[in-house]
Amino acid sequence: MTASQVIKRGELARRSGCNLETIRYYENIGLLQPPERTASGHRLYAPGDQARLGFILRGRDLGFSIEELKSLLSLVDSHHYSCGEVQDLTNNHLASVRAKIDDLTRLERTLADVSARCEGGDVPECPIIDTLFGRGPVARS
């Protein structure tokens, strides 16, 4: 590994588009291994560290939780994983995403229904307030 391949935390943050504190957080919770340090204490991130941060950030963009990422990285770190194991973890995450989409779809229908019953204007009666107080109908499914 050459000196040009290692970078300091600020450069890692800049290149990845990630906040310095986020990188520190990922180190503190064990997603990123503590990097090597210079004699003056500067952290040096090797290409493997940089790739791992990219993996974490892409995983977060796809909605994987910290625990799910720990599981995926544990498989990768063991060097003894199968595509099937990774697929199982991904399918579990996908099922969770689909459940959230269903919940959000129900929420959207309810809010659209309540909002459509509101006439707006200067009248004191408001179906939205009535619904929030439990005095109006709420679509449950």
Side-chain angles (χ1 to χ4, degrees), residues 9 12 24 29-30 33-34 37-38 42 45 52-53 58-59 70 74 81 90-91 106 108 111 115 121 125 127 132 139:
R9 185 184 287 166
L12 178 62
R24 186 175 291 131
I29 64 171
Q33 298 302 315
R37 291 179 180 247
T38 64
H42 292 285
Y45 296 88
R52 188 176 183 97
L53 178 61
R58 282 186 291 282
K70 283 182 178 181
S74 176
Y81 63 91
T90 302
N91 285 339
R106 281 191 293 277
E108 187 272 337
L111 289 172
S115 181
E125 298 82 25
L132 292 171

Side-chain angles (χ1 to χ4, degrees), residues 64-76:
F64 283 97
S65 69
I66 296 296
E67 289 306 312
E68 289 169 326
L69 284 172
K70 283 182 178 181
S71 294
L72 286 168
L73 286 168
S74 176
L75 288 174
V76 170

Side-chain angles (χ1 to χ4, degrees), residues 9 12-13 16-35 43 45 49-70 73 77:
R9 185 184 287 166
L12 178 62
S16 66
C18 181
N19 188 295
L20 285 168
E21 292 303 317
T22 302
I23 295 170
R24 186 175 291 131
Y25 171 69
Y26 290 154
E27 288 173 9
N28 288 338
I29 64 171
L31 283 178
L32 284 174
Q33 298 302 315
R43 290 168 177 83
Y45 296 88
D49 301 320
Q50 297 167 47
R52 188 176 183 97
L53 178 61
F55 179 98
I56 294 165
L57 295 175
R58 282 186 291 282
R60 295 297 285 153
D61 285 346
L62 291 172
F64 283 97
S65 69
I66 296 296
E67 289 306 312
E68 289 169 326
L69 284 172
K70 283 182 178 181
L73 286 168
D77 292 343

Side-chain angles (χ1 to χ4, degrees), residues 83-125:
C83 192
E85 290 172 297
V86 175
Q87 184 183 33
D88 288 345
L89 288 169
T90 302
N91 285 339
N92 288 337
H93 176 63
L94 180 58
S96 173
V97 167
R98 286 178 173 153
K100 289 175 187 174
I101 289 170
D102 289 345
D103 290 343
L104 287 171
T105 300
R106 281 191 293 277
L107 175 62
E108 187 272 337
R109 278 195 305 257
T110 300
L111 289 172
D113 179 58
V114 170
S115 181
R117 286 188 270 127
C118 184
E119 295 177 21
D122 293 331
V123 296
E125 298 82 25

